[in-house]
Amino acid sequence: MKPNLKKFNLYQWMVFSIILVGLVFINIIGHYTSFKIDMTADHRYSLADGTITYLKKIKKLENRISIKIYLDGDLPSELRSYRNSLEEKLKDFKSYAGDRIEYTFINPNEGSEQDKQILFEQLYNKGGGILPMEIKFAKNAKETKLMLWPGAVLSFTLNGIPQETVVQLLPGTSVDRPFTLNQMPEVVEKGLNDLEYNLISALRRLSTLQKKKIAILQGHGELNQYETKIARLLIAPYYNIQELELENNIHALDDFDGLIIADPKRPFSDKDLYLIDQFVMRGGELMCFMNTLAINRDTLIRQGFTHSERKNLRLNDLLFDYGFKINDNLIMDVNSIPKFDRRFKESKVDWFYQLLSTNTKHPTVKNIEPVGLEFANQIVPIKENVTPILTSSKNANYTGLAPIVELNMASNFDPVTPILYSKEKNTSSICFAATSNGKYSSYFNNRIVADFINNPDSKFLSESKEDSKIFVVSNGTFLANSYRMTQTRNGPKADFKGFNELKINTDDKSLNTNRLIGNQDFFLNIVDFMMGDEYMLDIRSRQIDVREIDKTKVQNNANYYKTINLLIPISLILLLGLIMNFVRRKKYTT
């Protein structure tokens, strides 16, 4: 029986050695690669399709992108978990981008006080770099503060010139308002939710080799540089933006890929329309944000009512030929933002003209907050290739042409359950934003602009040379931010509000209403969609639900789950031991 025991012991050691070597080998592979099976409903542990598409583009770059993350060292458990999740995300990035991405985690609190101070100043960069995060907590019965730099510096050599950008991974804090440890789970959860988008946005800012050019049209009373400050800052890192007046220059739009027309107030001449038409015929992407009615807001507030007037822009005639009929009316919707006015009860009045959109399934509005628009016109698609993007709720209506606008319009309806919908008009789902794609016939096929068409340099195209896209929103001010000019010693200066008006409506802010609007994401999505960067829509619109823990359920069932977690592992080990003992006895008992 001894030879059998020796043989069995040798066999056991061989199996144990093979398993041990296998486990070490798997751990080594796991350290340098990222493989997992994501079984969550919202795929929170998987990369978005748009991210994968972009990372495959990065793989073709000649130079590497270096990422230095200043989040390492002795971290609280919540931040340690975030740091590990960040590293897992970067490993996922490398699995598609290869060695074009390299990253390093750095502890900024190492070294002498002088070295740390120099590094902190470099990272902060006078407020233009990474913002510090301060955490307050109790340790050994003393209040302790920990300063962290939760961001990364990305560097890349583009055409022989070193480029650098920063990404703020978690929010910074002011000196007098540090975070507490109790706040960290919520902060970290939101940071994880935004992590993929923030990283890809930073990579995109850094590695875009050739930026497409977008013109913001001027000369017809469009939104000025101050009113479009936020909108321009949003897209400037990814596109070359230039304000442009046509000035009868036949080549004015030749070098541009996209054209934005935002809230024009004066009519377009035939020559201007011709230049825009031929821009579309050559494959240019046209984005129009416009109201066909002029409404004096000061008169409305002062008198309580005002007449609307047709602008007669003539731009809507051009769009009509492309399939967009914009009516000279206003849409009313119960799903709307109240107006702040101290003369009314509770300082607010129901304002059905300030719409909150009902989003369709189009990629430009997927998973974004409702868009807020005031005084939007009805758009009627008259061609098959025109797709509605934003619509009203089912309880909506539209006015007659050029209506009188009254501040107390809501008094005409039931205050509890107002019914705006009209069966006679079939007013459910009224469209006020739409897009089309394809080839178009020129608006000037049967309309002569002699100065241009007879000019051999104009190279008149009666049909589209290649496919182009048109996007129309029947509201010119939804992407605008307000400002006021003040006099300083250095001359006039524009002052802006202390919050992002493309994310928070001004009336909501005045009424202390905690509501986000999707104007910023909608504008970004429009521009990326029109300029062919659709992969960003998939990343930006990705929705990962932050599920709150049911504290009552946890409290009621805490002992049950503690018992389960304690007994099941022990029971499995005992059961496995009994089975192995039974098999051994049966096999080796004579």
Side-chain angles (χ1 to χ4, degrees):
M1 188 170 174
K2 288 183 180 180
N4 286 338
L5 286 173
K6 289 181 180 180
K7 185 177 180 181
F8 175 72
N9 289 335
L10 180 63
Y11 173 76
Q12 278 186 318
W13 279 109
M14 285 181 62
V15 172
F16 176 75
S17 300
I18 292 171
I19 293 173
L20 183 62
V21 171
L23 289 173
V24 172
F25 186 66
I26 290 170
N27 275 278
I28 292 173
I29 294 175
H31 180 74
Y32 293 101
T33 60
S34 180
F35 173 78
K36 53 182 171 284
I37 299 174
D38 191 351
M39 301 183 69
T40 57
D42 50 14
H43 301 289
R44 65 174 55 199
Y45 301 110
S46 303
L47 298 181
D49 292 338
T51 299
I52 295 171
T53 301
Y54 182 72
L55 291 174
K56 287 180 179 178
K57 290 183 180 180
I58 286 182
K59 194 173 185 178
K60 300 175 183 178
L61 296 176
E62 293 184 3
N63 299 318
R64 294 182 180 181
I65 297 175
S66 172
I67 307 175
K68 295 180 180 179
I69 305 106
Y70 292 89
L71 191 63
D72 207 3
D74 187 14
L75 303 173
S77 58
E78 292 87 355
L79 285 172
R80 173 59 58 180
S81 173
Y82 177 83
R83 182 244 181 248
N84 294 338
S85 297
L86 172 58
E87 186 170 15
E88 286 297 318
K89 187 70 69 176
L90 290 171
K91 285 181 180 179
D92 289 343
F93 280 16
K94 284 181 67 67
S95 65
Y96 291 99
D99 62 357
R100 297 301 85 185
I101 290 179
E102 58 183 17
Y103 62 89
T104 309
F105 283 88
I106 298 171
N107 180 4
N109 291 305
E110 283 185 339
S112 66
E113 289 299 321
Q114 184 178 359
D115 291 339
K116 286 192 288 185
Q117 190 61 36
I118 293 172
L119 177 61
F120 293 166
E121 290 178 1
Q122 291 174 346
L123 294 178
Y124 186 67
N125 190 22
K126 298 179 180 178
I130 300 173
L131 302 179
M133 171 195 282
E134 196 170 37
I135 304 174
K136 180 176 67 176
F137 59 96
K139 185 176 183 181
N140 298 326
K142 283 187 176 183
E143 185 177 279
T144 306
K145 289 184 179 180
L146 173 67
M147 179 175 284
L148 302 170
W149 296 85
V153 177
L154 293 80
S155 55
F156 176 65
T157 301
L158 180 62
N159 298 326
I161 303 174
Q163 307 282 334
E164 192 171 271
T165 189
V166 300
V167 55
Q168 187 78 30
L169 299 169
L170 294 173
T173 57
S174 58
V175 177
D176 57 336
R177 297 186 66 181
F179 284 133
T180 63
L181 283 179
N182 293 334
Q183 294 174 288
M184 292 314 299
E186 184 179 350
V187 172
V188 168
E189 188 72 35
K190 188 178 186 309
L192 289 172
N193 196 22
D194 298 336
L195 179 59
E196 187 173 331
Y197 174 72
N198 288 337
L199 288 172
I200 291 296
S201 295
L203 290 171
R204 184 187 178 200
R205 285 196 302 272
L206 196 65
S207 63
T208 301
L209 300 178
Q210 187 173 1
K211 294 181 178 181
K212 292 183 178 180
K213 295 184 68 176
I214 298 176
I216 300 180
L217 194 64
Q218 298 292 298
H220 312 88
E222 291 90 349
L223 299 178
N224 61 39
Q225 60 176 325
Y226 302 116
E227 292 171 301
T228 57
K229 178 185 177 181
I230 295 177
R232 285 186 291 106
L233 287 175
L234 289 170
I235 60 176
Y238 318 113
Y239 304 99
N240 283 325
I241 310 300
Q242 181 179 330
E243 292 184 344
L244 176 73
E245 289 193 31
L246 298 176
E247 297 179 333
N248 293 332
N249 180 0
I250 202 167
H251 300 295
L253 293 168
D254 285 357
D255 296 330
F256 290 95
D257 304 289
L259 175 62
I260 293 175
I261 304 176
D263 196 27
K265 300 174 183 65
R266 297 192 295 271
F268 285 68
S269 68
D270 281 336
K271 292 180 180 179
D272 289 346
L273 293 177
Y274 178 83
L275 293 175
I276 296 169
D277 173 79
Q278 291 300 290
F279 172 76
V280 174
M281 295 304 110
R282 293 193 302 271
E285 318 297 355
L286 177 61
M287 293 161 269
C288 293
F289 312 105
M290 54 180 287
N291 303 77
T292 62
L293 296 174
I295 296 167
N296 191 316
R297 297 170 189 264
D298 292 336
T299 303
L300 175 64
I301 298 300
R302 187 176 62 253
Q303 297 184 173
F305 71 94
T306 187
H307 293 268
S308 59
E309 298 178 2
R310 290 181 174 89
K311 294 181 181 179
N312 298 318
L313 297 173
R314 303 187 64 222
L315 179 61
N316 44 308
D317 297 334
L318 178 75
L319 295 172
F320 181 86
D321 265 29
Y322 298 153
F324 303 83
K325 181 185 177 185
I326 306 176
N327 290 331
D328 294 331
N329 59 9
L330 296 174
I331 299 173
M332 303 178 293
D333 196 337
V334 168
N335 187 25
S336 56
I337 300 174
K339 180 173 284 296
F340 173 75
D341 194 317
R342 296 189 186 279
R343 295 171 295 181
F344 291 86
K345 186 180 179 181
E346 297 180 352
S347 297
K348 72 176 181 179
V349 57
D350 289 335
W351 190 233
F352 301 145
Y353 289 130
Q354 192 160 224
L355 315 178
L356 277 172
S357 67
T358 300
N359 300 346
T360 61
K361 295 181 180 180
H362 194 267
T364 55
V365 289
K366 180 183 177 184
N367 285 338
I368 71 171
E369 301 291 341
V371 179
L373 309 93
E374 189 175 27
F375 301 131
N377 306 125
Q378 178 191 19
I379 296 178
V380 180
I382 56 176
K383 290 189 177 180
E384 291 183 357
N385 66 334
V386 178
T387 304
I389 303 297
L390 299 180
T391 61
S392 68
S393 71
K394 294 183 178 180
N395 190 3
N397 208 328
Y398 52 84
T399 68
L401 302 180
I404 295 175
V405 178
E406 296 181 275
L407 198 57
N408 65 344
M409 61 173 299
S411 63
N412 298 319
F413 302 93
D414 187 319
V416 180
T417 56
I419 299 175
L420 275 63
Y421 171 71
S422 170
K423 292 183 179 179
E424 292 76 14
K425 293 182 181 178
N426 188 22
T427 55
S428 64
S429 300
I430 306 168
C431 173
F432 47 90
T435 187
S436 66
N437 182 21
K439 289 185 168 61
Y440 304 89
S441 296
S442 172
Y443 173 73
F444 286 92
N445 274 336
N446 301 313
R447 300 175 179 88
I448 303 299
V449 180
D451 290 352
F452 283 167
I453 292 181
N454 295 333
N455 185 338
D457 291 338
S458 69
K459 299 178 182 179
F460 173 69
L461 296 173
S462 60
E463 303 287 338
S464 288
K465 187 177 180 180
E466 52 186 272
D467 284 356
S468 61
K469 294 193 285 286
I470 299 173
F471 210 107
V472 180
V473 181
S474 67
N475 176 276
T477 58
F478 91 94
L479 56 81
N481 54 261
S482 57
Y483 73 100
R484 68 176 183 177
M485 299 300 295
T486 57
Q487 290 295 330
T488 66
R489 291 181 179 179
N490 299 321
K493 178 185 177 183
D495 285 336
F496 300 90
K497 292 190 176 177
F499 61 94
N500 185 348
E501 293 176 77
L502 301 191
K503 282 193 169 185
I504 302 173
N505 179 269
T506 301
D507 285 310
D508 275 342
K509 181 73 172 178
S510 300
L511 293 167
N512 295 319
T513 301
N514 186 21
R515 169 175 32 214
L516 294 177
I517 55 176
N519 295 24
Q520 175 173 299
D521 288 338
F522 184 46
F523 176 67
L524 283 168
N525 283 347
I526 289 173
V527 176
D528 286 336
F529 170 74
M530 297 294 285
M531 305 313 296
D533 294 327
E534 289 95 340
Y535 65 89
M536 281 304 299
L537 278 66
D538 185 43
I539 303 168
R540 190 178 295 117
S541 64
R542 190 175 188 194
Q543 184 68 42
I544 298 177
D545 297 324
V546 179
R547 298 180 176 88
E548 293 186 5
I549 295 175
D550 189 336
K551 295 180 180 179
T552 304
K553 188 175 181 180
V554 169
Q555 186 175 358
N556 293 338
N557 300 305
N559 292 331
Y560 170 76
Y561 288 111
K562 287 178 182 177
T563 304
I564 292 293
N565 286 331
L566 179 66
L567 293 181
I568 287 182
I570 295 175
S571 301
L572 287 174
I573 293 171
L574 290 174
L575 180 62
L576 184 62
L578 290 172
I579 292 173
M580 291 181 66
N581 186 56
F582 174 77
V583 170
R584 184 176 178 181
R585 284 177 175 275
K586 187 173 182 181
K587 187 172 183 179
Y588 297 105
T589 300
T590 54

